[in-house]
């Protein structure tokens, strides 16, 4: 991917419990810098009757958006869109990559375009509304990050470990088959490659999810604590989220165990050109299957189409 994403940057902050009281001022300042709430009525998704009760450890969802931008700006197209559903009772996370070229309705604009255009047209609010419509699930919170932030956070946590399926080269780096530790620049190149993969964007999506999972696990590990200041500086300038520091603390306490069981999912589709533009066309059957797997993980009723199909 050209510009990239991060695994719940929330997790980076959610791990601050062990950093010690002396870091409180820095953590609080960082949390204020990255906080950008979503304009919503009743502060919840329209696809929920009630707001998620974190104290009761109810399942929740996140949209992770990797934005095509640099510096301190987080604007542009979302090059990467990953949906995470977290179920603390099952101690599991489902991680779904949405191909950036997926053709769908852009909610709030009234057009049918590539799904990554939603962020460019209407920021995180339009991106969330569009993903909610496409998947028919609520998105409870979001985290967005720019490319420089991704590189910086991977370096700040000491790199990430991946297990490469086959050897390839990308952006001046060579990645042998097997397990290896990647720096920020290497991780970006690793997750960007698609031309040498017979699955194209779908193979790239797999590598994106692998890196995201690796960041989640490494960021939550105590070995990253010694680099807390560097992590916080990078997060503060590159990440945006609608979570307050208080909410992060609560989620860290109630949902932390789920990170040990991450299931990767993928939206599948057919490549097609329409009016000279390349799209990924997702069938209604495939979309419905993904929708109901996520709804089940969120402990929500299956949609009527799936229920009818099960009768």
């Amino acid at each position: 991917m050209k510009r990239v994403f991060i695994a719940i940057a929330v997790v980076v902050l959610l791990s601050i419990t062990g950093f010690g009281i002396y870091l409180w001022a820095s953590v609080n300042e960082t949390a204020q810098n990255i906080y950008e709430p979503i304009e919503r009525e009743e502060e919840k998704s329209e696809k929920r009757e009630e707001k998620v009760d974190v104290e009761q450890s109810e399942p929740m969802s996140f949209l992770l958006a990797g934005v095509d931008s640099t510096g301190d700006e987080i604007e542009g197209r979302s090059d990467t869109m990953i949906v995470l559903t977290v179920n603390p009772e099952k101690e599991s996370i489902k991680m779904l990559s949405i191909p950036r070229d997926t053709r769908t309705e852009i909610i709030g604009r009234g057009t049918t375009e590539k799904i990554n255009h939603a962020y460019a047209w209407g920021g995180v609010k339009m991106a969330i509304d569009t993903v909610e419509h496409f998947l028919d699930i609520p998105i409870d919170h979001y985290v967005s990050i720019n490319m420089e932030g991704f590189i910086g956070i991977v370096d700040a946590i000491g790199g990430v470990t991946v297990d490469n399926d086959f050897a390839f080269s990308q952006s001046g780096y060579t990645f042998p088959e097997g397990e290896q530790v990647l720096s920020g620049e290497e991780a970006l190149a690793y997750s960007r490659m698609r031309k040498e993969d017979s699955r194209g964007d779908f193979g790239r999506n797999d590598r994106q999810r692998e890196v995201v999972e690796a960041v989640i696990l490494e960021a939550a590990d105590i070995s990253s604590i010694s680099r807390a200041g560097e992590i916080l500086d990078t997060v503060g300038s590159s990440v945006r989220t609608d979570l307050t520091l208080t909410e992060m603390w609560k989620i860290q306490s109630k949902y932390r165990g789920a990170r040990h069981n991450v299931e990767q999912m993928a939206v599948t589709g057919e490549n097609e050109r329409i009016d000279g533009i390349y799209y990924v066309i997702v069938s209604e059957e495939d979309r419905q299957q993904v929708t109901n797997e996520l709804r089940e993980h969120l402990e929500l009723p299956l949609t009527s189409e799936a229920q009818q199909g099960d009768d």
Side-chain angles (χ1 to χ4, degrees):
M1 57 192 176
K2 293 180 181 175
R3 304 287 186 268
V4 67
F5 63 91
I6 187 67
I8 296 188
V10 178
V11 173
V12 176
L13 290 179
L14 299 188
S15 304
I16 58 179
T17 307
F19 289 3
I21 296 175
Y22 75 95
L23 276 175
W24 171 256
S26 295
V27 171
N28 188 53
E29 181 180 359
T30 299
Q32 292 180 28
N33 289 340
I34 70 176
Y35 179 62
E36 287 191 2
I38 311 168
E39 295 181 5
R40 283 175 161 177
E41 294 183 6
E42 301 180 7
E43 298 183 350
K44 68 175 181 63
S45 168
E46 294 181 0
K47 290 188 173 291
R48 284 197 184 276
E49 294 183 2
E50 301 290 340
K51 187 176 180 179
V52 172
D53 190 335
V54 176
E55 294 292 345
Q56 295 300 316
S57 300
E58 293 181 347
M60 68 169 60
S61 62
F62 299 83
L63 175 65
L64 312 181
V67 184
D68 187 1
S69 61
T70 58
D72 293 340
E73 297 299 322
I74 306 183
E75 299 177 353
R77 294 181 181 181
S78 52
D79 185 71
T80 302
M81 302 180 84
I82 296 178
V83 172
L84 277 82
T85 58
V86 186
N87 189 313
E89 182 176 350
K90 295 181 178 179
E91 293 191 338
S92 66
I93 293 174
K94 288 185 182 289
M95 183 184 300
L96 173 72
S97 293
I98 304 176
R100 60 181 181 174
D101 296 327
T102 300
R103 193 169 191 265
T104 190
E105 180 182 354
I106 306 299
I107 303 303
R109 183 169 171 80
T111 58
T112 299
E113 306 178 41
K114 296 181 179 184
I115 197 166
N116 72 328
H117 291 183
Y119 199 106
W121 290 123
V124 69
K125 177 63 165 60
M126 187 172 287
I128 288 174
D129 290 345
T130 299
V131 170
E132 285 189 331
H133 175 77
F134 177 67
L135 292 176
D136 194 16
I137 65 167
I139 297 295
D140 299 306
H141 298 287
Y142 82 92
V143 179
S144 63
I145 188 169
N146 65 23
M147 181 192 70
E148 290 184 1
F150 168 74
I151 294 172
I153 289 177
V154 171
D155 286 337
I157 62 177
V160 292
T161 301
V162 300
D163 190 359
N164 190 21
D165 290 336
F166 60 93
F168 65 86
S169 297
Q170 173 72 30
S171 303
Y173 297 102
T174 298
F175 302 97
E177 181 180 349
E179 187 173 291
Q180 53 208 282
V181 178
L182 306 180
S183 67
E185 291 280 2
E186 290 170 334
L188 177 62
Y190 178 80
S191 26
R192 176 182 291 171
M193 194 280 286
R194 64 189 176 96
K195 291 185 179 180
E196 294 185 44
D197 193 324
S198 60
R199 297 177 299 154
D201 279 343
F202 297 108
R204 181 177 66 171
N205 287 344
D206 286 347
R207 283 183 290 280
Q208 290 175 1
R209 292 194 305 273
E210 182 184 18
V211 172
V212 166
E213 182 179 350
V215 171
I216 290 175
L217 294 174
E218 181 63 30
D221 191 272
I222 193 169
S223 64
S224 296
I225 290 176
S226 63
R227 311 189 75 171
E230 186 177 351
I231 293 172
L232 291 173
D233 287 345
T234 304
V235 168
S237 62
S238 306
V239 174
R240 296 295 179 268
T241 182
D242 64 323
L243 288 164
T244 65
L245 182 57
T246 299
E247 290 172 324
M248 292 178 197
W249 279 98
K250 289 182 179 179
I251 293 172
Q252 189 275 342
S253 174
K254 299 288 185 178
Y255 295 71
R256 183 184 177 96
R259 76 187 191 280
H260 295 299
N261 181 14
V262 180
E263 178 184 349
Q264 298 190 7
M265 300 172 57
V267 172
T268 59
E270 299 294 329
N271 300 333
E272 186 175 335
R273 287 191 179 275
I274 300 176
D275 297 328
I277 300 174
Y278 167 82
Y279 294 99
V280 172
I281 307 299
V282 180
S283 70
E284 178 59 23
E285 180 181 2
D286 288 340
R287 187 200 64 80
Q288 194 68 58
Q289 180 178 349
V290 168
T291 288
N292 282 284
E293 184 172 346
L294 294 176
R295 291 184 68 87
E296 182 178 16
H297 197 235
L298 290 169
E299 299 180 2
L300 297 172
L302 299 185
T303 60
S304 57
E305 290 88 344
Q307 290 170 345
Q308 291 171 1
D310 292 339
D311 292 340

